[in-house]
Amino acid sequence: MNEILLYRGCTTPVRLPAYEAATIAVLEKLGVKVRDMKDVTCCGAQYVESISQIAFAAMSGRILAMAEKEGLDILAICGACSGSLKINKHLLDHNEEARSQVNDILAEEGLKYTGKVRVRHLLQVLAEDIGFSEVERAIVKPYKGIKIAAHYGCHVTRPFEIVQVDDPENPTIIDQLAEIAGAESVDYAGKTRCCGGPMLAMDEKIATKIGQEKIKNVEVAGADVILTACEFCDLQLTQVQFDEAMSSTRRIPVMPITQFLGPALGIDEDRLGLGLNRIDPSPVLDALQGGSA
Amino acid sequence: MGEKEQPRIGVFVCHCGHNIAGTVDVERVAKEASKFPNVVFSTDEMFMCADSGQELIRTKIKEFGLNRVVVASCSPRMHEPTFRRVVEEGGLNRYLFEQVNLREHVSWCHMHQPEAATEKAIDLVRMAVARAARLESLPIKTVSVIPRTLIVGGGIAGLRAALDIADRGFEVVLVEKAPRLGGHVIKWTHMFPGDRTGEQVIGPMIERVMSHPRITVYTDSKVVGFDGYIGNFEATIRSNDGKSEEKVEVGAVIVATGFKAFKPKGYYAYGESPNIVTLEELQEMPRRDDLLRPSDGKPVKRIAFIGCVGSREPGVKGHEHCSRYCCLAVAKAAADLRDRVEEALVLYQDVRTYGRGHEEIHRLAREKRVIFSKFEPSEKPRVTVEKGKIIMEWHDVLADDNLRFEPDLLVLASAMVPPDDVEETANLFSLTRSGDGFFNPEHIKLAPLTTHTAGIMIAGVAQAAKNASESVVDASGAAAKATSLLAKGEVEIESTVAHVDPELCSSCHTCVTACPYGAISMDNSRDPPVALVTEAKCHGCGTCAAGCPSAAITMLHSTDDQILSMVEALLMPAMTSGGEVQ
Amino acid sequence: MSNGAARSNNVLVVGGGVAGMQAALDVANQGYKVYLVEKAPSIGGRMAALDKTFPTLDCSACILTPRLSEVARHPNIELLTYSEVQSVEGSLGDFTVRVLRKARYVREDRCSGCGDCARECPVEVPNEFDEFLGFRKAIYVMFPQSTPNVYTIDAEHCIRCKRCERVCERGAIDFDMQDEIVELKVGVVVLSVGYKLFDVRQYPRLGYGHHRNVITAMEFERLINAAGPTKGHLIRLSDGRMPKRIGFIQCVGARDVKKGVPNCSRVCCMYGIKNAVMAREHYPDAEVTVYYADIRAFGKGFEEFYEMAKTRFGVKFIKGRVGEIVEDPETANLQFYVEDTLSGEILDVEHDMIVLCPGLQPAEDLDKLAEMLGLETSTDGYIETRDAFAAPLETNHPGILVCGCADGPKDIPDSVTAGSAAAMKATILLSSGGAK
């Protein structure tokens, strides 16, 4: 693949722009041109999803149809967006009635869904479209002596039959990428569990507790940094560490996978937005051989 | 092997892995045993039953010229036949072998008293050695086998067994108490797997049986008399109207008397409405596209099933067992009928869809939106009938909710229980019954089709609750057992039987009355008549010998001399060394 | 059907577990000759590795060994152990079977099973019979009552030091032995190839393989077995201590559509309960809990045994699927969350030993065997039988029968029954009508 359409979703541009920047920088370094999608709207995850299946399908369907117009696959970097687009694509591909209903709605804008384009989550693009060996070839400044804990979240890898990203019970893409970059990945209790983020709107206390348990388990496993592939997870695992209950513990840096890969690929730190990380990532960067840039 | 020659006894003490050696000091037992009178060889061994142990016996018999063998190991019920054969292969008569139970009688029951257990073991071995010195060879006898099998019960199991044995080339007599063959299966409309009617499944079998040159069928008849012994039984078959009676001679019997579908009076308002039926009754309803209410013929909109009716009730004799067939039958019926009704509900304790294809049916039923609701056995659903309406109320334990449902048709998955005349059948064929009321197999794991009465097999639900396809496999298995007997043409009988000395017999008839097996009769060819034991029927229980006022009866292999020597050995141990008798 | 001269009245039984042995005995007792082929060095199958059996708690080896003896000494049964079927050609009444007899490097006609060679052998190998928890030598017998009682050299691990050869008083060791192919002529083939246990590693979050005190049910059997690697002492693998809180997890690899095993494995509820009872027998003070979905105690005596496990043995039962199992790095104890669906409570439980109860799957390479013989298998991977009522043991290939777990999971009594039934079918086919 040499070109892909970036669907950045609602949250990343506002709350984690570094993730977007780092992703674009890394993909371009690895030979994939990232094109913008104009006039896109929300994918409908969680909120519309819980009210109306057709409205949800139409919202995601709109994005899919717009990508079809460009004739390019969609890159989703948010787990929820990736999940929504894939689930709705699955629905529209298999359910004629739903498809015709959605196309009726899209017709108003002159759009039509026929199912031509694929939805790729960032991890799929890195692992499959680009491939591990290509990534390995591009590493110029590997890490040394650093342990990472990979957090995949829920929507990226589940439900497997539809999203088809990695093994949901034993995911390894982030781990493999980190190891290629010279780090050591550690297993930890609750690796495949939720970050708690989606619960925030319903019960903040429980959501925070879930996130904090995750942090504790990562600590017990001795990891130095948590790597993510969804900005919701990233934000959640960061903010729970600022909660009162965790004020006495040393904070563990949280970084999206592309932010982590960037320096190892020789990309300038500024282009990766590392200065914006709420938890200082310099202990991680210090582990780069040859020092941080 | 002369009984008059000096006994040369070999003692083999088994460790049985940890089972005996864990408590009993087996090496010490073997060492002590070497000092007992007439013992010329004594050792301990890890597993006497293994090939190595058996080989040990054979080699030592040769090496030491043993003419008696004592093995101190597990219960004779485990390996006595094995060791007897080994001893025979070593050139000795099998009755010159004695087994001591150091496992069930010592190590397993005195696990916390190893010293005392070891002393007891030594005592037991000393007793066995004393007895062994007095054992005598007994002749090995065989009886011929009549090449015909009696099959009691013309349901699917009986039919299958009959066909197998007849196809194999032997004659069969099939007796069925109902006016027609086919048991329960013939009445049912849906079988699993596949979806044929019972008639479609069993019809061809009935046809083949009726036309088979080697099968004689008696319907509307029962076996009213049964006598004889393995290979030589005589059965009296009488028609239910009493008008005809015949005797047949057979070599083997297969009891396939099936079950009765429990009519659950007192459960869930059964009997208070024609719309409350058992699963069996549902199965017997003729196939039709719409499901109609028995009460008024209106279409059923809501159907409910309740599982475990009369099954799995701890403490209720005869109703403690799981009836095995019902969970799948309910799931299938619910899945099938779901298309014809608006709501289908299954109340269950556990869903036991265990067999091939069963879980898939369970899943299918759920996918079709059959509601499965779990109740706890301590809080069974309440069913009442009010003005013709069936009202079900129960606590769904998974939802923790009290629910209510008013079905048009309520189906109770009621138990499989033995037929009303099961006790009669048991007595007739000397079969014992287990807690579930069905017949006891010889061994529940490794001998599920044979019984403790040699030559009599059980198959199908007569053995335990099961479904039709499982009964068929049972039947073929039992047929194989019967055929083994018939094909061999003759069978060995135990020589450990009672023997009457005609010179001492006073014709008092005490033994004839005492014998529980009817094995003694009077030999009228002598004057006065004397008691005569039919050895093949004798079980060697000793009741006759105990009762005989003239001491005319000897129990072979359990003579007074042999038994008293054991008592002496226990109470007055002779302390000689080296094995020669004083 | 081929011409009369080519007909064979022999039967080939493939697989020497309980079903195969029963089939062989019932055929042989009718006077026909049986070749019993078994790929392991000894017959006995799975039962030989079990400790106690349900629902009677009989010692498995105790009730099995008389069978082994019976099979071994039967004049009509020829045992071909350490052997595998390579091909089957021909048709009913006239099959030609090629069997690979693997070289054991020990002469069956000379070895007496004395064990001097094993005592001398310097090579220790993880013992597969003990689920790799213990060791055996490179020259070994599978278990004490192995039948035939002949040692076998594991060529893969033997270093050819030949110390065994020097110490063998009967000259039974023969390093020049070669694999050989023998050709058998049979009339009927009975497949009783058994099953394989689900690989519990397919549930990575249950921790098997890295949590030291998470074991499988088979490992549990070997630990409580007096002839096993710990002489029957149930201990934790992490530190050798006695467990005090043991959890059994049912349905690991059964009734799970996602893992490709949608069917029920039939025997696991009962073996799980049996093992739980055994755990209480070993440690009357231990807390023993079984985590289940449904309890399928359907056979004769099963429900009564389940009841006894609850009342007399005090085994606790919780209906709920367990979550991820987490190991405490210091104590090696295990924690997980589980919903007790009957009370609605979410429990946070800790155990010091967890036993995963795997489901049954078709035997290793059953698909290859089926292909070789032209047999249909169904979606669950087991051999398809012709008709559940009219021909429950017959396959689509006339003359080839199945019994035991080859056509679906079964417990010992049902396997033994099927073995007898297969024997009946086999002898009917052979005799085709005439009395023998």
Side-chain angles (χ1 to χ4, degrees):
Chain A
M1 122 184 330
N2 31 28
E3 219 182 345
I4 201 167
L5 282 177
L6 171 63
Y7 177 68
R8 49 172 70 77
C10 308
T11 311
T12 310
V14 180
R15 302 179 63 197
L16 206 68
Y19 179 26
E20 180 195 328
T23 300
I24 295 174
V26 165
L27 289 182
E28 303 221 314
K29 186 69 168 210
L30 295 170
V32 176
K33 199 160 140 63
V34 179
R35 281 243 310 260
D36 244 354
M37 279 185 89
K38 295 262 187 296
D39 295 332
V40 288
T41 41
C42 176
C43 65
Q46 281 207 276
Y47 311 105
V48 179
E49 183 178 4
S50 41
I51 299 174
S52 159
Q53 192 191 42
I54 284 299
F56 180 40
M59 290 182 73
S60 283
R62 180 171 183 272
I63 314 301
L64 294 164
M66 288 171 72
E68 267 191 55
K69 256 199 162 159
E70 308 284 331
L72 288 175
D73 287 341
I74 299 178
L75 162 65
I77 56 177
C78 163
C81 296
S82 163
S84 301
L85 292 174
K86 285 174 181 240
I87 285 174
N88 283 306
K89 177 175 166 60
H90 185 84
L91 173 73
L92 296 173
D93 284 346
H94 293 94
N95 187 323
E96 273 204 48
E97 207 194 301
R99 185 161 69 245
S100 108
Q101 271 191 285
V102 166
N103 276 333
D104 280 346
I105 299 172
L106 297 181
E108 287 181 43
E109 234 187 309
L111 290 169
K112 183 159 184 218
Y113 174 86
T114 63
K116 262 198 319 206
V117 302
R118 301 182 308 165
V119 179
R120 310 295 282 161
H121 179 269
L122 173 63
L123 292 183
Q124 280 177 304
V125 173
L126 289 169
E128 294 165 35
D129 300 327
I130 297 174
F132 291 114
S133 31
E134 277 303 314
V135 176
E136 199 170 358
R137 222 188 309 246
I139 300 284
V140 295
K141 220 179 351 164
Y143 289 91
K144 189 171 152 150
I146 189 166
K147 296 197 174 129
I148 68 108
H151 169 79
Y152 292 81
C154 301
H155 301 272
V156 177
T157 59
R158 300 189 276 264
F160 177 70
E161 304 83 70
I162 295 180
V163 305
Q164 307 257 295
V165 178
D166 216 340
D167 178 347
E169 287 185 48
N170 190 21
T172 54
I173 296 180
I174 298 177
D175 302 84
Q176 285 185 74
L177 289 168
E179 303 224 315
I180 285 172
E184 184 194 328
S185 92
V186 297
D187 191 15
Y188 60 97
K191 179 174 174 183
T192 50
R193 283 187 219 168
C194 180
C195 63
M199 282 290 292
L200 282 169
M202 315 301 321
D203 189 331
E204 195 182 324
K205 268 174 74 180
I206 298 231
T208 306
K209 196 158 170 254
I210 293 174
Q212 287 173 344
E213 219 178 272
K214 209 139 206 209
I215 303 294
K216 271 191 225 125
N217 289 333
V218 165
E219 231 183 327
V220 165
D224 305 302
V225 60
I226 300 173
L227 300 185
T228 59
C230 163
E231 83 290 350
F232 254 119
C233 296
D234 198 288
L235 290 164
Q236 167 73 349
L237 293 175
T238 304
Q239 75 196 16
V240 298
Q241 297 191 60
F242 287 88
D243 178 77
E244 250 176 59
M246 298 204 85
S247 52
S248 52
T249 51
R250 174 187 68 88
R251 295 194 181 109
I252 302 178
V254 182
M255 300 168 78
I257 180 65
T258 38
Q259 246 197 355
F260 182 77
L261 285 177
L265 293 168
I267 301 174
D268 200 277
E269 271 180 37
D270 287 336
R271 291 190 62 205
L272 302 168
L274 285 158
L276 297 173
N277 284 28
R278 198 167 166 200
I279 301 176
D280 184 9
S282 18
V284 177
L285 301 172
D286 286 343
L288 282 165
Q289 288 187 45
S292 46
Chain B
M1 274 292 146
E3 301 87 77
K4 306 296 176 209
E5 63 178 17
Q6 193 75 303
R8 295 177 63 80
I9 303 175
V11 177
F12 302 81
V13 185
C14 186
H15 288 234
C16 194
H18 210 48
N19 280 308
I20 297 177
T23 309
V24 175
D25 183 347
V26 291
E27 282 117 355
R28 181 156 162 250
V29 175
K31 201 151 157 277
E32 289 301 310
S34 64
K35 305 179 198 153
F36 296 155
N38 300 307
V39 173
V40 300
F41 173 77
S42 179
T43 190
D44 61 286
E45 170 74 9
M46 191 52 63
F47 285 104
M48 281 310 296
C49 56
D51 261 14
S52 51
Q54 296 179 30
E55 182 60 28
L56 186 68
I57 296 177
R58 284 190 286 265
T59 25
K60 296 306 172 189
I61 289 177
K62 234 195 292 195
E63 196 181 318
F64 287 85
L66 303 176
N67 56 24
R68 303 284 187 282
V69 170
V70 172
V71 172
S73 61
C74 51
S75 162
R77 287 180 69 109
M78 298 282 14
H79 292 303
E80 187 175 62
T82 313
F83 290 130
R84 279 184 173 173
R85 251 182 295 266
V86 170
V87 152
E88 241 173 14
E89 285 164 9
L92 299 182
N93 180 279
R94 68 174 74 148
Y95 295 100
L96 298 172
F97 164 77
E98 177 71 5
Q99 187 160 356
V100 186
N101 188 344
L102 294 188
R103 196 181 69 173
E104 283 83 339
H105 288 182
V106 183
S107 83
W108 278 1
C109 50
H110 303 301
M111 272 196 279
H112 303 294
Q113 298 164 277
E115 287 94 39
T118 304
E119 290 303 321
K120 178 173 174 179
I122 294 172
D123 280 343
L124 288 175
V125 174
R126 184 170 53 247
M127 291 159 75
V129 164
R131 171 176 150 86
R134 287 161 179 75
L135 289 174
E136 290 174 5
S137 311
L138 296 175
I140 311 299
K141 298 197 178 156
T142 59
V143 295
S144 62
V145 176
I146 297 169
R148 186 180 302 114
T149 306
L150 169 68
I151 298 181
V152 186
I156 198 166
L159 293 171
R160 178 80 264 149
L163 285 172
D164 280 352
I165 297 176
D167 285 345
R168 175 66 180 83
F170 296 97
E171 280 178 41
V172 173
V173 170
L174 177 63
V175 180
E176 167 55 53
K177 73 183 181 197
R180 64 170 181 173
L181 298 173
H184 294 269
V185 171
I186 200 170
K187 297 178 282 179
W188 293 341
T189 48
H190 296 272
M191 303 294 292
F192 179 84
D195 195 35
R196 288 167 286 175
T197 64
E199 167 79 57
Q200 286 171 324
V201 166
I202 209 170
M205 290 172 79
I206 296 175
E207 263 178 56
R208 279 204 64 215
V209 163
M210 296 301 291
S211 57
H212 205 297
R214 282 189 280 274
I215 304 179
T216 310
V217 180
Y218 295 85
T219 48
D220 225 348
S221 309
K222 287 179 84 159
V223 177
V224 296
F226 187 75
D227 200 11
Y229 50 88
I230 184 174
N232 299 267
F233 298 111
E234 184 186 79
T236 309
I237 303 169
R238 186 189 298 154
S239 60
N240 287 341
D241 60 12
K243 293 211 176 112
S244 59
E245 194 174 286
E246 272 184 56
K247 287 197 198 294
V248 291
E249 290 184 333
V250 297
V253 181
I254 298 179
V255 176
T257 46
F259 68 99
K260 174 181 85 167
F262 179 57
K263 293 281 187 213
K265 271 205 116 65
Y267 292 79
Y268 307 124
Y270 182 71
E272 291 177 36
S273 162
N275 296 329
I276 301 180
V277 299
T278 62
L279 187 55
E280 235 229 331
E281 288 159 3
L282 177 75
Q283 278 280 38
E284 290 170 22
M285 286 184 189
R287 274 193 178 207
R288 36 180 318 145
D289 286 334
D290 40 6
L291 181 63
L292 304 177
R293 275 203 306 216
S295 59
D296 57 8
K298 290 223 173 68
V300 172
K301 294 219 179 79
R302 287 185 299 276
I303 187 172
F305 297 81
I306 303 184
C308 300
V309 180
S311 301
R312 299 184 67 187
E313 304 187 321
V316 180
K317 194 160 182 277
H319 290 274
E320 291 174 297
H321 61 279
C322 166
S323 291
R324 187 161 175 167
Y325 82 96
C326 358
C327 281
L328 184 269
V330 165
K332 179 162 191 300
D336 286 349
L337 294 170
R338 180 68 186 87
D339 301 324
R340 284 172 251 183
V341 300
E342 286 169 22
E343 287 180 77
L345 168 72
V346 173
L347 299 195
Y348 70 95
Q349 275 180 218
D350 279 281
V351 180
R352 295 182 165 179
T353 44
Y354 63 88
R356 198 160 180 204
H358 291 197
E359 189 64 32
E360 289 79 335
I361 294 283
H362 176 205
R363 193 169 290 117
L364 176 68
R366 286 192 186 252
E367 277 167 14
K368 286 172 118 176
R369 302 287 186 267
V370 171
I371 307 297
F372 281 78
S373 175
K374 184 176 162 85
F375 65 88
E376 273 287 86
S378 50
E379 241 189 293
K380 295 220 164 88
R382 260 190 352 268
V383 178
T384 44
V385 179
E386 276 167 42
K387 299 209 189 85
K389 269 204 310 189
I390 304 170
I391 300 170
M392 295 168 63
E393 288 170 306
W394 74 102
H395 179 78
D396 178 318
V397 72
L398 296 179
D400 194 19
D401 221 344
N402 290 324
L403 302 176
R404 185 191 157 101
F405 190 62
E406 288 175 28
D408 299 308
L409 182 65
L410 172 59
V411 182
L412 305 177
S414 73
M416 269 184 170
V417 295
D420 291 326
D421 56 0
V422 68
E423 194 57 36
E424 205 185 295
T425 311
N427 288 333
L428 206 53
F429 298 105
S430 303
L431 299 175
T432 51
R433 294 161 61 198
S434 9
D436 56 11
F438 297 104
F439 301 118
N440 255 336
E442 190 179 345
H443 189 278
I444 214 173
K445 295 295 268 189
L446 293 184
L449 303 166
T450 45
T451 63
H452 286 288
T453 310
I456 302 191
M457 270 61 74
I458 47 179
V461 184
Q463 191 251 24
K466 57 177 73 83
N467 66 40
S469 58
E470 291 162 346
S471 297
V472 166
V473 179
D474 263 22
S476 291
K481 300 299 184 197
T483 311
S484 298
L485 279 175
L486 272 37
K488 261 192 249 179
E490 62 174 24
V491 66
E492 271 177 14
I493 54 171
E494 272 284 316
S495 303
T496 55
V497 295
H499 176 80
V500 178
D501 183 347
E503 301 295 309
L504 297 174
C505 176
S506 56
S507 306
C508 67
H509 287 64
T510 304
C511 56
V512 176
T513 326
C515 178
Y517 300 99
I520 311 188
S521 51
M522 298 309 286
D523 178 4
N524 292 306
S525 70
R526 298 170 75 114
D527 183 31
V530 291
L532 182 66
V533 176
T534 305
E535 292 187 353
K537 280 172 116 173
C538 174
H539 280 60
C541 69
T543 311
C544 54
C548 176
S550 319
I553 303 185
T554 310
M555 298 308 299
L556 296 179
H557 203 64
S558 298
T559 63
D560 291 355
D561 188 36
Q562 289 162 358
I563 306 230
L564 289 173
S565 72
M566 294 173 84
V567 178
E568 270 177 24
L570 175 64
L571 300 177
M572 305 178 298
M575 296 302 291
T576 56
S577 65
E580 294 299 322
V581 83
Q582 301 295 33
Chain C
M1 285 298 191
S2 47
N3 73 61
R7 270 197 83 86
S8 166
N9 270 351
N10 302 332
V11 174
L12 168 69
V13 175
V14 185
V18 272
M21 291 198 293
Q22 191 61 57
L25 284 170
D26 285 339
V27 169
N29 280 338
Q30 288 191 39
Y32 293 96
K33 175 166 176 122
V34 179
Y35 295 105
L36 179 53
V37 172
E38 164 56 50
K39 73 176 182 221
S42 165
I43 53 172
R46 294 277 175 188
M47 242 188 118
L50 304 180
D51 182 48
K52 303 270 196 308
T53 55
F54 59 81
T56 48
L57 294 182
D58 278 312
C59 149
S60 187
C62 300
I63 57 176
L64 180 68
T65 41
R67 262 325 127 88
L68 299 178
S69 288
E70 234 187 299
V71 168
R73 70 175 71 256
H74 204 296
N76 291 342
I77 300 179
E78 189 175 320
L79 275 185
L80 288 87
T81 53
Y82 212 44
S83 305
E84 290 181 46
V85 171
Q86 301 287 97
S87 68
V88 174
E89 264 149 40
S91 56
L92 165 62
D94 184 24
F95 288 111
T96 302
V97 182
R98 286 160 61 82
V99 174
L100 166 65
R101 304 219 60 195
K102 297 184 287 198
R104 331 165 91 108
Y105 305 104
V106 175
R107 301 253 321 247
E108 271 187 54
D109 55 347
R110 294 224 187 125
C111 176
S112 70
C114 70
D116 285 346
C117 52
R119 281 183 276 275
E120 201 49 35
C121 176
V123 179
E124 283 195 328
V125 178
N127 189 352
E128 58 273 271
F129 192 76
D130 279 338
E131 298 296 308
F132 303 105
L133 296 176
F135 291 90
R136 58 162 172 82
K137 298 295 182 71
I139 185 167
Y140 69 105
V141 282
M142 281 169 69
F143 51 95
Q145 305 92 340
S146 282
T147 306
N149 191 23
V150 169
Y151 275 73
T152 302
I153 293 182
D154 166 9
E156 200 189 319
H157 294 102
C158 172
I159 55 173
R160 296 257 164 160
C161 67
K162 308 221 176 163
R163 284 163 67 167
C164 53
E165 193 179 29
R166 283 198 287 278
V167 84
C168 177
E169 287 177 14
R170 300 166 114 93
I173 313 275
D174 179 3
F175 282 100
D176 294 328
M177 268 177 104
Q178 303 278 334
D179 287 351
E180 60 166 314
I181 303 267
V182 299
E183 217 175 69
L184 307 172
K185 289 261 188 240
V186 301
V188 169
V189 177
V190 176
L191 299 177
S192 47
V193 294
Y195 60 90
K196 170 176 85 178
L197 286 171
F198 184 84
D199 179 2
V200 299
R201 273 177 286 237
Q202 288 193 56
Y203 290 94
R205 302 326 281 180
L206 291 181
Y208 180 77
H210 34 96
H211 296 348
R212 292 155 285 165
N213 291 316
V214 174
I215 60 175
T216 64
M218 212 58 206
E219 287 171 335
F220 183 86
E221 292 275 353
R222 295 313 296 161
L223 287 174
I224 60 172
N225 195 312
T230 56
K231 305 264 188 291
H233 294 293
L234 177 60
I235 55 167
R236 290 177 2 130
L237 297 183
S238 67
D239 54 15
R241 294 172 110 99
M242 303 185 333
K244 300 203 183 70
R245 275 137 78 201
I246 310 173
F248 288 84
I249 299 178
Q250 303 300 122
C251 287
V252 180
R255 300 180 71 185
D256 191 340
V257 176
K258 292 255 163 69
K259 297 286 182 205
V261 282
N263 52 301
C264 170
S265 275
R266 193 160 167 153
V267 304
C268 338
C269 282
M270 289 311 296
Y271 84 59
I273 298 175
K274 180 259 304 184
N275 282 337
V277 166
M278 292 311 298
R280 290 278 292 170
E281 278 228 324
H282 277 247
Y283 301 123
D285 293 328
E287 254 178 57
V288 176
T289 313
V290 175
Y291 298 94
Y292 71 97
D294 281 286
I295 291 291
R296 293 172 167 190
F298 57 87
K300 192 171 175 94
F302 291 6
E303 180 69 28
E304 295 84 333
F305 184 72
Y306 172 36
E307 196 56 40
M308 192 174 73
K310 287 187 283 190
T311 51
R312 201 170 109 191
F313 285 96
V315 174
K316 294 211 273 258
F317 287 84
I318 292 191
K319 183 180 164 86
R321 286 211 189 250
V322 320
E324 177 180 356
I325 297 180
V326 175
E327 185 188 45
D328 179 316
E330 273 162 41
T331 60
N333 284 356
L334 305 147
Q335 178 273 348
F336 57 81
Y337 293 103
V338 62
E339 184 192 351
D340 176 353
T341 55
L342 297 185
S343 68
E345 266 183 84
I346 308 269
L347 306 172
D348 179 353
V349 298
E350 191 188 65
H351 289 286
D352 51 16
M353 173 186 274
I354 287 191
V355 183
L356 303 179
C357 295
L360 272 52
Q361 287 189 289
E364 196 75 56
D365 295 336
L366 182 65
D367 49 350
K368 291 203 192 64
L369 183 66
E371 209 187 334
M372 186 215 298
L373 300 172
L375 301 181
E376 276 165 24
T377 54
S378 45
T379 49
D380 54 15
Y382 293 98
I383 308 265
E384 192 68 87
T385 53
R386 260 201 331 117
D387 183 311
F389 301 97
L393 302 140
E394 294 170 53
T395 63
N396 57 297
H397 192 150
I400 301 189
L401 309 174
V402 290
C403 63
C405 293
D407 66 301
K410 276 182 206 68
D411 53 28
I412 293 167
D414 290 344
S415 297
V416 165
T417 299
S420 293
M424 188 73 240
K425 280 288 145 0
T427 56
I428 289 175
L429 288 171
L430 293 178
S431 68
S432 40
K436 185 147 162 112

